[in-house]
Amino acid sequence: MTLILGLAMVFGLVFGGFMLSGGNMDIVLHALPFEGMMIGGAALGAFVIANSMTVTKSALKGIGKVMKGPKWKASDYEALLNLMYELARLYRQKGILALDEHIETPKDSSIFQRYPTILKDHFATELITDSFRMLAMQFDDKYQTEDVINRKIKKHHHEALGAAGAIQTMADGLPAIGIVAAVLGVIKTMSSIDQPPEVLGKMIGGALVGTFLGVFLAYCMVQPISGRLKQIEDEDGAFYMIIRDIFVAMVANHPPNICVEIGRGNIPTSKQPDFYRVEAAQKELPAA
């Protein structure tokens, strides 16, 4: 929604201001298809050359993410706290063996099935199950555990940011590609130097549309999309940090409610449930 609103403001105010100041859109509209084909084609071609197919697909999905916003909502953070509380409580009461059926086949787990949104996220589910597997293999040093989980999250986040970085690189190159298109327009104009001034003026104006379009696309469309996508990936990445914080607290032998409170404290403020809401939710959970 914000993407559509922002684009409406950009186009309305830029071109509206141009026309209100007496600008003639005829020259812009005449040159736009040709300049757009050159600049857009060169930018997309360079993007394909510079990136793997995986990153290219991620960039296309990234535009959808920018339109939808962050994946994890406040309700998802509450669900995560409840899920981790159930697992931590079961571990504390019955030991690691009691978690085996939930960790090895989370899709069939009665606990995980209560939180379908989290279960659908492959990385979140894998991060939880792999962490408990480490615990089952006696890997129970809280500092080393935190380091291992941090490495997994860092790797995932680095891969998630690949699309935003690729889009940002495209934005950086668009002004120069616009100059290329403008230079070609000037070359075309020079080949018609014998034409009257009014004809040459229109041709030079059309060439300058290339420079305008390159800068306009870079700083009013592509770069903002890249920046917003990075914000979304950073915000979604906080979800996995909560898993780490709760699990490390559990390895340090804190009670389940303390582990969850440590995780709750690190949830982004705009999505953080209050203490009493979390406490009430824990009381409503089925007995272990």
Side-chain angles (χ1 to χ4, degrees):
M1 184 62 184
T2 56
L3 174 63
I4 297 173
L5 176 61
L7 289 176
M9 292 176 63
V10 166
F11 279 91
L13 294 174
V14 170
F15 292 104
F18 175 71
M19 289 187 289
L20 288 173
S21 66
N24 188 346
M25 287 294 294
D26 291 344
I27 296 175
V28 176
L29 293 175
H30 175 75
L32 195 59
F34 311 107
E35 300 291 335
M37 182 175 68
M38 288 188 285
I39 295 170
L44 291 174
F47 185 88
V48 171
I49 293 171
N51 297 288
S52 66
M53 189 56 65
T54 300
V55 174
T56 301
K57 291 179 180 178
S58 296
L60 293 174
K61 293 178 181 178
I63 297 174
K65 286 185 178 181
V66 171
M67 296 185 68
K68 294 178 182 178
K71 175 180 180 179
W72 302 112
K73 313 302 179 186
S75 59
D76 296 321
Y77 280 96
E78 291 184 35
L80 177 63
L81 295 180
N82 290 338
L83 169 61
M84 295 302 292
Y85 177 80
E86 288 201 65
L87 294 173
R89 182 182 61 180
L90 185 60
Y91 169 71
R92 189 174 182 86
Q93 292 180 357
K94 299 184 178 180
I96 192 65
L97 292 179
L99 286 167
D100 188 64
E101 61 178 296
H102 303 289
I103 300 308
E104 295 306 322
T105 55
K107 291 183 178 180
D108 300 325
S109 164
S110 58
I111 293 178
F112 276 93
Q113 285 177 353
R114 284 195 281 273
Y115 310 99
T117 304
I118 299 173
L119 189 58
K120 288 179 183 178
D121 187 280
H122 176 73
F123 181 71
T125 303
E126 189 176 73
L127 187 64
I128 295 170
T129 55
D130 284 353
S131 298
F132 277 101
R133 287 192 188 102
M134 288 194 301
L135 193 59
M137 294 185 287
Q138 307 300 316
F139 192 85
D140 55 1
D141 182 281
K142 62 181 180 180
Y143 299 109
Q144 292 182 351
T145 297
E146 183 174 10
D147 182 60
V148 170
I149 297 175
N150 273 334
R151 289 173 184 270
K152 290 181 179 180
I153 295 174
K154 184 178 179 180
K155 172 191 171 185
H156 178 269
H157 194 56
H158 175 76
E159 293 172 351
L161 288 176
I167 295 173
Q168 178 60 50
T169 300
M170 176 191 281
D172 294 339
L174 273 168
I177 296 174
I179 293 173
V180 170
V183 170
L184 289 174
V186 172
I187 293 172
K188 185 182 75 171
T189 301
M190 295 305 293
S191 67
S192 304
I193 198 67
D194 57 338
Q195 298 296 314
E198 58 270 20
V199 175
L200 292 176
K202 290 182 179 180
M203 295 180 72
I204 292 173
L208 291 175
V209 170
T211 302
F212 159 76
L213 189 60
V215 175
F216 178 79
L217 290 174
Y219 298 116
C220 295
M221 293 184 67
V222 180
Q223 189 177 71
I225 288 174
S226 171
R228 179 57 181 148
L229 180 57
K230 184 179 183 301
Q231 287 180 353
I232 290 172
E233 296 294 358
D234 286 341
E235 190 171 337
D236 284 345
F239 191 84
Y240 309 115
M241 301 289 191
I242 308 306
I243 296 173
R244 176 203 63 193
D245 295 339
I246 295 175
F247 188 80
V248 171
M250 191 190 71
V251 172
N253 290 320
H254 292 300
N257 59 330
I258 297 299
C259 296
V260 169
E261 175 57 22
I262 290 172
R264 188 193 71 84
N266 291 325
I267 293 175
T269 304
S270 62
K271 299 177 181 179
Q272 184 183 61
D274 62 45
F275 174 83
Y276 299 104
R277 184 185 182 94
V278 173
E279 186 179 46
Q282 290 173 0
K283 292 178 180 178
E284 295 176 0
L285 292 172

